[in-house]
């Protein structure tokens, strides 16, 4: 498991991750989740990147991020075209990467006070 030093305690930072687990502050999450600076969505209904639909992303879009980091587990897996189109239609950037890269990038961007959300699939 990799860890990062918390530079701020007023925002959600990802403290560590491994295959099947992500640590957000004091929370340990074993299922897909959505992380933003001031909000955690731990009971998200989506379970598979390949099966994502635009409707699954309603909680993400409600956060009004400028960019969304889609962490797809151990390897980078692109979501269906209709999902990518939903981001483009809302002028929201979508970056697809493996879980580790998404966690590290999220921490950097959120500490820069960017409007970022991380959608994390831990398996």
């Amino acid at each position: 498991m990799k860890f990062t030093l918390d530079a701020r305690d007023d925002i959600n930072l990802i403290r560590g991750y491994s295959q099947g687990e992500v640590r957000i502050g004091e929370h340990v999450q074993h299922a897909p989740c959505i992380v933003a600076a001031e909000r955690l969505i731990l009971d998200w209904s989506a379970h598979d990147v390949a099966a994502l639909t635009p409707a699954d992303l309603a909680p993400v879009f409600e956060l009004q991020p400028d960019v969304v980091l889609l962490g797809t587990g151990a390897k980078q897996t692109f979501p269906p075209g209709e999902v990518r189109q939903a981001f483009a239609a809302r002028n929201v950037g979508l970056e697809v990467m493996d879980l580790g890269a998404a966690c590290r990038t999220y921490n950097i961007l959120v500490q820069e006070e960017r409007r970022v959300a991380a959608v994390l699939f831990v398996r």
Side-chain angles (χ1 to χ4, degrees), residues 21-70:
E21 177 179 292
V22 92
R23 291 180 181 265
I24 307 149
E26 298 302 317
H27 298 280
V28 178
Q29 183 70 6
H30 298 280
C33 62
I34 301 167
V35 184
E38 298 174 354
R39 184 141 180 239
L40 286 176
I41 301 171
L42 302 175
D43 59 350
W44 190 39
S45 61
H47 294 346
D48 182 22
V49 174
L52 271 178
T53 68
D56 293 326
L57 298 168
V60 177
F61 294 132
E62 287 175 12
L63 298 170
Q64 299 179 335
D66 292 331
V67 64
V68 172
L69 307 172
L70 178 59

Short mmCIF file of all heavy atoms in Angstrom, two decimals, residues 21-70:
data_model
loop_
_atom_site.label_atom_id
_atom_site.label_comp_id
_atom_site.label_asym_id
_atom_site.label_seq_id
_atom_site.Cartn_x
_atom_site.Cartn_y
_atom_site.Cartn_z
N GLU A 21 -8.62 -1.82 -2.16
CA GLU A 21 -8.83 -0.95 -1.01
C GLU A 21 -8.31 0.45 -1.30
O GLU A 21 -7.30 0.63 -1.96
CB GLU A 21 -8.09 -1.52 0.20
CG GLU A 21 -8.16 -0.69 1.44
CD GLU A 21 -7.42 -1.33 2.59
OE1 GLU A 21 -7.89 -2.38 3.08
OE2 GLU A 21 -6.36 -0.79 2.97
N VAL A 22 -9.02 1.42 -0.76
CA VAL A 22 -8.56 2.81 -0.80
C VAL A 22 -8.84 3.42 0.57
O VAL A 22 -9.86 3.13 1.19
CB VAL A 22 -9.24 3.57 -1.97
CG1 VAL A 22 -10.49 4.27 -1.57
CG2 VAL A 22 -8.33 4.54 -2.61
N ARG A 23 -7.90 4.23 1.06
CA ARG A 23 -8.06 4.91 2.36
C ARG A 23 -8.21 6.40 2.10
O ARG A 23 -7.31 7.03 1.57
CB ARG A 23 -6.85 4.67 3.25
CG ARG A 23 -6.73 3.26 3.72
CD ARG A 23 -5.51 3.09 4.61
NE ARG A 23 -5.39 1.73 5.05
CZ ARG A 23 -5.85 1.26 6.20
NH1 ARG A 23 -6.45 2.08 7.04
NH2 ARG A 23 -5.72 0.00 6.50
N ILE A 24 -9.36 6.91 2.51
CA ILE A 24 -9.68 8.33 2.34
C ILE A 24 -9.84 8.89 3.74
O ILE A 24 -10.81 8.57 4.43
CB ILE A 24 -10.96 8.51 1.52
CG1 ILE A 24 -10.86 7.76 0.21
CG2 ILE A 24 -11.24 10.00 1.30
CD1 ILE A 24 -12.16 7.25 -0.32
N GLY A 25 -8.88 9.69 4.18
CA GLY A 25 -8.90 10.12 5.57
C GLY A 25 -8.86 8.89 6.46
O GLY A 25 -7.98 8.05 6.34
N GLU A 26 -9.85 8.75 7.32
CA GLU A 26 -9.93 7.59 8.21
C GLU A 26 -10.83 6.48 7.65
O GLU A 26 -10.98 5.44 8.27
CB GLU A 26 -10.45 8.02 9.59
CG GLU A 26 -9.53 9.01 10.28
CD GLU A 26 -8.11 8.48 10.46
OE1 GLU A 26 -7.95 7.31 10.85
OE2 GLU A 26 -7.16 9.26 10.21
N HIS A 27 -11.44 6.70 6.50
CA HIS A 27 -12.33 5.71 5.88
C HIS A 27 -11.53 4.71 5.06
O HIS A 27 -10.62 5.09 4.33
CB HIS A 27 -13.34 6.39 4.95
CG HIS A 27 -14.25 7.35 5.61
ND1 HIS A 27 -15.36 6.96 6.32
CD2 HIS A 27 -14.21 8.69 5.68
CE1 HIS A 27 -15.96 8.02 6.79
NE2 HIS A 27 -15.28 9.09 6.42
N VAL A 28 -11.88 3.44 5.20
CA VAL A 28 -11.31 2.39 4.35
C VAL A 28 -12.43 1.89 3.47
O VAL A 28 -13.47 1.44 3.95
CB VAL A 28 -10.73 1.24 5.20
CG1 VAL A 28 -10.20 0.14 4.30
CG2 VAL A 28 -9.64 1.77 6.13
N GLN A 29 -12.23 1.99 2.16
CA GLN A 29 -13.28 1.67 1.20
C GLN A 29 -12.86 0.48 0.35
O GLN A 29 -11.75 0.46 -0.19
CB GLN A 29 -13.56 2.90 0.32
CG GLN A 29 -14.67 2.74 -0.66
CD GLN A 29 -16.05 2.67 -0.02
OE1 GLN A 29 -16.21 2.85 1.18
NE2 GLN A 29 -17.05 2.40 -0.81
N HIS A 30 -13.76 -0.50 0.21
CA HIS A 30 -13.48 -1.71 -0.58
C HIS A 30 -14.39 -1.81 -1.80
O HIS A 30 -14.35 -2.83 -2.49
CB HIS A 30 -13.67 -2.96 0.29
CG HIS A 30 -12.73 -3.00 1.45
ND1 HIS A 30 -11.42 -3.40 1.33
CD2 HIS A 30 -12.89 -2.68 2.75
CE1 HIS A 30 -10.82 -3.33 2.49
NE2 HIS A 30 -11.70 -2.89 3.38
N ALA A 31 -15.17 -0.79 -2.07
CA ALA A 31 -16.10 -0.78 -3.19
C ALA A 31 -15.92 0.53 -3.95
O ALA A 31 -15.33 1.48 -3.44
CB ALA A 31 -17.54 -0.91 -2.68
N PRO A 32 -16.43 0.62 -5.18
CA PRO A 32 -16.33 1.86 -5.94
C PRO A 32 -16.87 3.05 -5.14
O PRO A 32 -17.84 2.91 -4.39
CB PRO A 32 -17.17 1.59 -7.18
CG PRO A 32 -17.11 0.11 -7.35
CD PRO A 32 -17.13 -0.42 -5.95
N CYS A 33 -16.24 4.20 -5.33
CA CYS A 33 -16.65 5.39 -4.59
C CYS A 33 -16.31 6.65 -5.39
O CYS A 33 -15.60 6.58 -6.40
CB CYS A 33 -15.98 5.44 -3.23
SG CYS A 33 -14.17 5.52 -3.29
N ILE A 34 -16.83 7.76 -4.91
CA ILE A 34 -16.58 9.07 -5.51
C ILE A 34 -16.00 9.95 -4.41
O ILE A 34 -16.56 10.04 -3.32
CB ILE A 34 -17.88 9.68 -6.07
CG1 ILE A 34 -18.49 8.75 -7.12
CG2 ILE A 34 -17.63 11.07 -6.63
CD1 ILE A 34 -19.92 9.09 -7.51
N VAL A 35 -14.89 10.62 -4.72
CA VAL A 35 -14.21 11.46 -3.74
C VAL A 35 -14.07 12.87 -4.31
O VAL A 35 -13.61 13.05 -5.44
CB VAL A 35 -12.80 10.91 -3.42
CG1 VAL A 35 -12.14 11.73 -2.33
CG2 VAL A 35 -12.84 9.45 -3.06
N ALA A 36 -14.46 13.85 -3.52
CA ALA A 36 -14.23 15.26 -3.84
C ALA A 36 -13.71 15.93 -2.58
O ALA A 36 -13.73 15.34 -1.49
CB ALA A 36 -15.51 15.91 -4.33
N ALA A 37 -13.25 17.15 -2.68
CA ALA A 37 -12.63 17.84 -1.56
C ALA A 37 -13.48 17.80 -0.30
O ALA A 37 -12.99 17.49 0.78
CB ALA A 37 -12.32 19.29 -1.93
N GLU A 38 -14.76 18.07 -0.44
CA GLU A 38 -15.63 18.19 0.73
C GLU A 38 -16.72 17.13 0.81
O GLU A 38 -17.59 17.20 1.67
CB GLU A 38 -16.26 19.59 0.75
CG GLU A 38 -15.21 20.67 0.87
CD GLU A 38 -15.79 22.06 0.75
OE1 GLU A 38 -17.00 22.20 0.45
OE2 GLU A 38 -15.03 23.01 0.95
N ARG A 39 -16.66 16.15 -0.08
CA ARG A 39 -17.73 15.14 -0.10
C ARG A 39 -17.21 13.78 -0.47
O ARG A 39 -16.38 13.64 -1.38
CB ARG A 39 -18.81 15.57 -1.10
CG ARG A 39 -19.99 14.66 -1.13
CD ARG A 39 -21.28 15.41 -1.27
NE ARG A 39 -22.37 14.46 -1.29
CZ ARG A 39 -23.22 14.33 -2.29
NH1 ARG A 39 -23.15 15.13 -3.32
NH2 ARG A 39 -24.16 13.42 -2.24
N LEU A 40 -17.70 12.76 0.23
CA LEU A 40 -17.42 11.36 -0.08
C LEU A 40 -18.73 10.67 -0.39
O LEU A 40 -19.69 10.80 0.36
CB LEU A 40 -16.80 10.64 1.12
CG LEU A 40 -15.37 10.93 1.48
CD1 LEU A 40 -15.00 10.19 2.75
CD2 LEU A 40 -14.44 10.54 0.35
N ILE A 41 -18.76 9.93 -1.47
CA ILE A 41 -19.93 9.11 -1.80
C ILE A 41 -19.45 7.67 -1.76
O ILE A 41 -18.79 7.19 -2.69
CB ILE A 41 -20.52 9.50 -3.17
CG1 ILE A 41 -20.93 10.98 -3.15
CG2 ILE A 41 -21.70 8.59 -3.52
CD1 ILE A 41 -21.34 11.54 -4.49
N LEU A 42 -19.74 7.01 -0.65
CA LEU A 42 -19.23 5.66 -0.41
C LEU A 42 -20.23 4.58 -0.78
O LEU A 42 -19.87 3.41 -0.86
CB LEU A 42 -18.81 5.52 1.05
CG LEU A 42 -17.75 6.52 1.52
CD1 LEU A 42 -17.50 6.36 3.01
CD2 LEU A 42 -16.47 6.38 0.73
N ASP A 43 -21.48 4.95 -0.99
CA ASP A 43 -22.52 3.97 -1.30
C ASP A 43 -22.96 4.06 -2.76
O ASP A 43 -24.11 3.85 -3.08
CB ASP A 43 -23.71 4.15 -0.36
CG ASP A 43 -24.33 5.54 -0.45
OD1 ASP A 43 -23.72 6.43 -1.09
OD2 ASP A 43 -25.41 5.74 0.11
N TRP A 44 -22.04 4.35 -3.63
CA TRP A 44 -22.33 4.52 -5.05
C TRP A 44 -22.74 3.18 -5.65
O TRP A 44 -22.17 2.13 -5.33
CB TRP A 44 -21.10 5.07 -5.73
CG TRP A 44 -21.27 5.52 -7.14
CD1 TRP A 44 -22.33 6.19 -7.66
CD2 TRP A 44 -20.34 5.35 -8.19
NE1 TRP A 44 -22.12 6.45 -8.99
CE2 TRP A 44 -20.90 5.95 -9.34
CE3 TRP A 44 -19.09 4.77 -8.28
CZ2 TRP A 44 -20.25 5.97 -10.57
CZ3 TRP A 44 -18.44 4.79 -9.49
CH2 TRP A 44 -19.01 5.38 -10.62
N SER A 45 -23.71 3.20 -6.55
CA SER A 45 -24.29 1.95 -7.06
C SER A 45 -23.51 1.31 -8.21
O SER A 45 -23.72 0.14 -8.52
CB SER A 45 -25.73 2.19 -7.50
OG SER A 45 -25.76 3.16 -8.55
N ALA A 46 -22.63 2.04 -8.87
CA ALA A 46 -21.88 1.47 -10.00
C ALA A 46 -20.84 0.45 -9.51
O ALA A 46 -20.25 0.64 -8.45
CB ALA A 46 -21.21 2.58 -10.78
N HIS A 47 -20.62 -0.61 -10.30
CA HIS A 47 -19.67 -1.64 -9.88
C HIS A 47 -18.66 -2.03 -10.95
O HIS A 47 -17.73 -2.76 -10.65
CB HIS A 47 -20.41 -2.90 -9.44
CG HIS A 47 -21.22 -2.71 -8.20
ND1 HIS A 47 -21.10 -1.64 -7.37
CD2 HIS A 47 -22.18 -3.47 -7.64
CE1 HIS A 47 -21.94 -1.74 -6.36
NE2 HIS A 47 -22.62 -2.85 -6.51
N ASP A 48 -18.84 -1.54 -12.17
CA ASP A 48 -17.97 -1.98 -13.26
C ASP A 48 -17.80 -0.85 -14.27
O ASP A 48 -18.80 -0.28 -14.73
CB ASP A 48 -18.58 -3.22 -13.92
CG ASP A 48 -17.75 -3.79 -15.03
OD1 ASP A 48 -16.53 -3.54 -15.06
OD2 ASP A 48 -18.30 -4.50 -15.89
N VAL A 49 -16.58 -0.55 -14.63
CA VAL A 49 -16.31 0.53 -15.59
C VAL A 49 -16.99 0.24 -16.92
O VAL A 49 -17.59 1.12 -17.53
CB VAL A 49 -14.79 0.71 -15.80
CG1 VAL A 49 -14.51 1.72 -16.90
CG2 VAL A 49 -14.12 1.12 -14.51
N ALA A 50 -16.91 -0.99 -17.39
CA ALA A 50 -17.46 -1.35 -18.69
C ALA A 50 -18.97 -1.21 -18.75
O ALA A 50 -19.54 -1.04 -19.82
CB ALA A 50 -17.06 -2.78 -19.06
N ALA A 51 -19.63 -1.25 -17.59
CA ALA A 51 -21.09 -1.16 -17.55
C ALA A 51 -21.59 0.23 -17.14
O ALA A 51 -22.79 0.42 -16.96
CB ALA A 51 -21.64 -2.21 -16.58
N LEU A 52 -20.69 1.20 -17.00
CA LEU A 52 -21.12 2.55 -16.60
C LEU A 52 -22.07 3.15 -17.62
O LEU A 52 -21.92 2.96 -18.83
CB LEU A 52 -19.90 3.48 -16.50
CG LEU A 52 -19.17 3.57 -15.20
CD1 LEU A 52 -17.97 4.51 -15.33
CD2 LEU A 52 -20.07 4.01 -14.07
N THR A 53 -23.02 3.90 -17.12
CA THR A 53 -23.96 4.64 -17.96
C THR A 53 -23.94 6.10 -17.52
O THR A 53 -23.54 6.41 -16.39
CB THR A 53 -25.39 4.10 -17.84
OG1 THR A 53 -25.86 4.39 -16.52
CG2 THR A 53 -25.46 2.61 -18.12
N PRO A 54 -24.39 7.00 -18.37
CA PRO A 54 -24.49 8.41 -17.94
C PRO A 54 -25.34 8.58 -16.68
O PRO A 54 -25.03 9.42 -15.84
CB PRO A 54 -25.11 9.10 -19.15
CG PRO A 54 -24.62 8.29 -20.32
CD PRO A 54 -24.66 6.86 -19.81
N ALA A 55 -26.37 7.77 -16.51
CA ALA A 55 -27.22 7.87 -15.31
C ALA A 55 -26.43 7.55 -14.04
O ALA A 55 -26.68 8.15 -12.99
CB ALA A 55 -28.42 6.93 -15.44
N ASP A 56 -25.46 6.63 -14.13
CA ASP A 56 -24.63 6.30 -12.98
C ASP A 56 -23.81 7.50 -12.51
O ASP A 56 -23.38 7.56 -11.35
CB ASP A 56 -23.64 5.17 -13.31
CG ASP A 56 -24.31 3.84 -13.56
OD1 ASP A 56 -25.33 3.55 -12.92
OD2 ASP A 56 -23.79 3.09 -14.42
N LEU A 57 -23.59 8.44 -13.40
CA LEU A 57 -22.70 9.56 -13.12
C LEU A 57 -23.41 10.78 -12.54
O LEU A 57 -22.77 11.79 -12.28
CB LEU A 57 -21.95 9.94 -14.38
CG LEU A 57 -21.07 8.82 -14.92
CD1 LEU A 57 -20.58 9.15 -16.31
CD2 LEU A 57 -19.91 8.54 -13.99
N ALA A 58 -24.71 10.69 -12.32
CA ALA A 58 -25.46 11.83 -11.77
C ALA A 58 -24.82 12.38 -10.49
O ALA A 58 -24.65 13.60 -10.37
CB ALA A 58 -26.92 11.46 -11.54
N PRO A 59 -24.39 11.53 -9.53
CA PRO A 59 -23.77 12.08 -8.32
C PRO A 59 -22.45 12.81 -8.62
O PRO A 59 -22.09 13.76 -7.92
CB PRO A 59 -23.50 10.85 -7.44
CG PRO A 59 -24.30 9.75 -8.01
CD PRO A 59 -24.55 10.08 -9.45
N VAL A 60 -21.74 12.37 -9.63
CA VAL A 60 -20.49 13.03 -10.02
C VAL A 60 -20.78 14.42 -10.57
O VAL A 60 -20.18 15.41 -10.17
CB VAL A 60 -19.72 12.19 -11.06
CG1 VAL A 60 -18.46 12.91 -11.51
CG2 VAL A 60 -19.39 10.82 -10.51
N PHE A 61 -21.73 14.50 -11.49
CA PHE A 61 -22.05 15.77 -12.12
C PHE A 61 -22.66 16.77 -11.13
O PHE A 61 -22.50 17.97 -11.28
CB PHE A 61 -22.95 15.57 -13.33
CG PHE A 61 -22.27 14.83 -14.45
CD1 PHE A 61 -22.90 13.77 -15.09
CD2 PHE A 61 -21.00 15.16 -14.87
CE1 PHE A 61 -22.28 13.08 -16.13
CE2 PHE A 61 -20.36 14.48 -15.90
CZ PHE A 61 -21.00 13.44 -16.53
N GLU A 62 -23.34 16.27 -10.09
CA GLU A 62 -23.89 17.15 -9.06
C GLU A 62 -22.79 17.89 -8.31
O GLU A 62 -23.01 18.98 -7.78
CB GLU A 62 -24.75 16.36 -8.06
CG GLU A 62 -26.07 15.92 -8.62
CD GLU A 62 -26.85 15.03 -7.67
OE1 GLU A 62 -26.46 14.92 -6.48
OE2 GLU A 62 -27.84 14.44 -8.12
N LEU A 63 -21.59 17.34 -8.26
CA LEU A 63 -20.46 17.98 -7.60
C LEU A 63 -19.91 19.15 -8.41
O LEU A 63 -19.11 19.93 -7.90
CB LEU A 63 -19.34 16.96 -7.36
CG LEU A 63 -19.69 15.79 -6.44
CD1 LEU A 63 -18.59 14.74 -6.48
CD2 LEU A 63 -19.94 16.28 -5.03
N GLN A 64 -20.28 19.27 -9.66
CA GLN A 64 -19.86 20.32 -10.58
C GLN A 64 -18.33 20.43 -10.69
O GLN A 64 -17.76 21.51 -10.54
CB GLN A 64 -20.47 21.65 -10.19
CG GLN A 64 -21.98 21.63 -10.22
CD GLN A 64 -22.59 22.95 -9.82
OE1 GLN A 64 -22.01 23.75 -9.10
NE2 GLN A 64 -23.80 23.19 -10.31
N PRO A 65 -17.67 19.30 -10.96
CA PRO A 65 -16.20 19.36 -11.08
C PRO A 65 -15.78 19.93 -12.44
O PRO A 65 -16.55 19.89 -13.41
CB PRO A 65 -15.80 17.89 -10.97
CG PRO A 65 -16.96 17.17 -11.58
CD PRO A 65 -18.18 17.96 -11.16
N ASP A 66 -14.57 20.43 -12.50
CA ASP A 66 -13.97 20.82 -13.78
C ASP A 66 -13.36 19.61 -14.46
O ASP A 66 -13.32 19.52 -15.68
CB ASP A 66 -12.89 21.87 -13.58
CG ASP A 66 -13.44 23.20 -13.11
OD1 ASP A 66 -14.60 23.53 -13.44
OD2 ASP A 66 -12.71 23.93 -12.40
N VAL A 67 -12.86 18.69 -13.65
CA VAL A 67 -12.23 17.49 -14.17
C VAL A 67 -12.57 16.31 -13.26
O VAL A 67 -12.68 16.46 -12.05
CB VAL A 67 -10.69 17.66 -14.31
CG1 VAL A 67 -10.03 17.87 -12.97
CG2 VAL A 67 -10.06 16.51 -15.05
N VAL A 68 -12.74 15.15 -13.88
CA VAL A 68 -13.00 13.90 -13.16
C VAL A 68 -11.90 12.92 -13.51
O VAL A 68 -11.58 12.72 -14.68
CB VAL A 68 -14.39 13.32 -13.53
CG1 VAL A 68 -14.57 11.93 -12.93
CG2 VAL A 68 -15.49 14.25 -13.07
N LEU A 69 -11.33 12.34 -12.47
CA LEU A 69 -10.31 11.30 -12.63
C LEU A 69 -10.99 9.96 -12.43
O LEU A 69 -11.54 9.69 -11.36
CB LEU A 69 -9.20 11.49 -11.60
CG LEU A 69 -8.59 12.89 -11.57
CD1 LEU A 69 -7.64 13.02 -10.39
CD2 LEU A 69 -7.88 13.20 -12.87
N LEU A 70 -10.99 9.15 -13.45
CA LEU A 70 -11.61 7.83 -13.39
C LEU A 70 -10.52 6.80 -13.16
O LEU A 70 -9.73 6.49 -14.05
CB LEU A 70 -12.38 7.54 -14.68
CG LEU A 70 -13.06 6.19 -14.80
CD1 LEU A 70 -14.08 5.99 -13.67
CD2 LEU A 70 -13.75 6.07 -16.16
#
